[in-house]
Amino acid sequence: MRPHRWTTGRVAAQSVLYAVLTMLALVYILPFLIQIATSFKTDPDAANNPISLIPNPFSVAAIDKLFTNSDFPLWFMNSAIITVFVTLGRVLFDSLAGYALARLHFRGRNVIFAGLVAVMAVPNVVLLIPKFLVLNTLSIYDSYVGMIVPLMVDAAGVFIMKGFFESIPLAVEEAARIDGASTLRLFWSVVLPMAQPALVTIVILSFQGSWNELAHFVVAAQNPALTPLTKGVATLASGSLGSGTQYPLKLAAALIMTLPVAAMFFIFQRRIMNQSEGAVKE
């Protein structure tokens, strides 16, 4: 009887756990479902039934207005350009800096790493005014260069790459050095291919971070032609395209803005799991 009671109690505990997890999942996913539904509502329907999951009537007027009566396509293009270059830059420079801090021995390495950790502890809002002053002094304010270059390296990415490179056995690099590989060849042909899980993590974080960045763009440019999605959607939220609540318009813009990040995460999530299975052990 004891095993039977133990099994029954375990099943009951698991059932309660799954029920709680299901409720928490619904709490998190419900706002996203409301966002999708509201994007296809009319303004009166969204105002009268704000949390309804069934549009009545179904309408694509909000999405049509975004692409025909606003600069949304321009904002999307600007964000795409910035995100691609920032992501490529972070993958390259974060990995180079991480490898240098992990494997190369030079004077001041520990001081540089301590400064890197200190930078991670500083809130980004504190750096907005210095950023503006530097961009203005270098004459790259109000340009793609000023919007992209300051974001091409981040302390968190360097920290991640350094930690991963330190986990790779030294024996692998020593064998390549015996074969005559230079430091650059060693990094590019031996170590970097082994760091694919960390690189994929950097790609996801960089894509999401630069796509959703707002504070830097506020101080980096004011030309309407350089407006990215985050600034553009913020203007929509303030009611720049007309009066009324405009819930469908605002949430449709937010929905379209969310899709690339969600797609990037789901595409690379499996790749992270697959690559991490091939970790090298001494």
Side-chain angles (χ1 to χ4, degrees), residues 5-275:
R5 290 179 180 178
W6 183 82
T7 303
T8 304
R10 184 177 181 180
V11 171
Q14 289 183 341
S15 300
V16 173
L17 177 62
Y18 289 148
V20 173
L21 292 177
T22 301
M23 292 180 63
L24 291 176
L26 290 175
V27 170
Y28 278 99
I29 200 174
L30 183 60
F32 184 67
L33 296 178
I34 293 175
Q35 178 190 39
I36 295 175
T38 305
S39 301
F40 297 100
K41 293 180 181 179
T42 61
D43 284 336
D45 184 31
N48 295 329
N49 304 288
I51 63 173
S52 173
L53 298 179
I54 301 176
N56 185 26
F58 184 89
S59 173
V60 295
I63 297 177
D64 181 68
K65 188 174 182 179
L66 278 177
F67 285 94
T68 58
N69 294 339
S70 74
D71 293 326
F72 191 86
L74 175 64
W75 304 339
F76 193 97
M77 182 188 70
N78 288 335
S79 286
I81 293 173
I82 293 169
T83 300
V84 168
F85 281 100
V86 169
T87 301
L88 292 176
R90 286 189 180 182
V91 168
L92 175 62
F93 296 124
D94 287 357
S95 58
L96 285 171
Y99 183 76
L101 291 173
R103 287 291 191 258
L104 303 185
H105 299 282
F106 55 90
R107 182 177 300 178
R109 184 180 68 167
N110 293 333
V111 176
I112 293 176
F113 181 68
L116 184 74
V117 175
V119 168
M120 294 173 60
V122 178
N124 289 331
V125 66
V126 177
L127 304 176
L128 291 182
I129 295 178
K131 278 185 178 182
F132 169 76
L133 296 176
V134 171
L135 294 175
N136 196 38
T137 302
L138 296 178
S139 300
I140 57 175
Y141 175 75
D142 224 5
S143 67
Y144 276 121
V145 176
M147 299 175 72
I148 294 173
V149 172
L151 299 179
M152 293 184 75
V153 180
D154 69 316
V158 176
F159 186 85
I160 292 172
M161 295 305 300
K162 176 182 181 295
F164 192 90
F165 286 137
E166 288 177 338
S167 69
I168 297 177
L170 284 171
V172 177
E173 299 177 54
E174 291 173 356
R177 289 188 186 278
I178 293 175
D179 292 336
S182 63
T183 301
L184 184 59
R185 181 63 180 273
L186 184 67
F187 165 76
W188 188 260
S189 301
V190 179
V191 178
L192 197 61
M194 299 174 63
Q196 288 191 28
L199 291 176
V200 171
T201 301
I202 296 299
V203 168
I204 294 176
L205 295 178
S206 300
F207 187 95
Q208 181 183 21
S210 55
W211 185 265
N212 293 330
E213 178 64 39
L214 175 61
H216 172 69
F217 299 145
V218 171
V219 300
Q222 63 178 356
N223 187 348
L226 298 176
T227 301
L229 265 179
T230 46
K231 287 181 65 176
V233 172
T235 60
L236 289 180
S238 64
S240 62
L241 289 185
S243 59
T245 59
Q246 296 184 313
Y247 291 146
L249 183 70
K250 298 172 185 177
L251 292 182
L255 174 63
I256 298 174
M257 184 178 174
T258 303
L259 293 179
V261 177
M264 174 67 69
F265 177 80
F266 285 114
I267 289 172
F268 282 99
Q269 184 184 31
R270 175 180 296 181
R271 188 169 181 82
I272 292 176
M273 296 172 62
N274 290 342
Q275 291 297 338

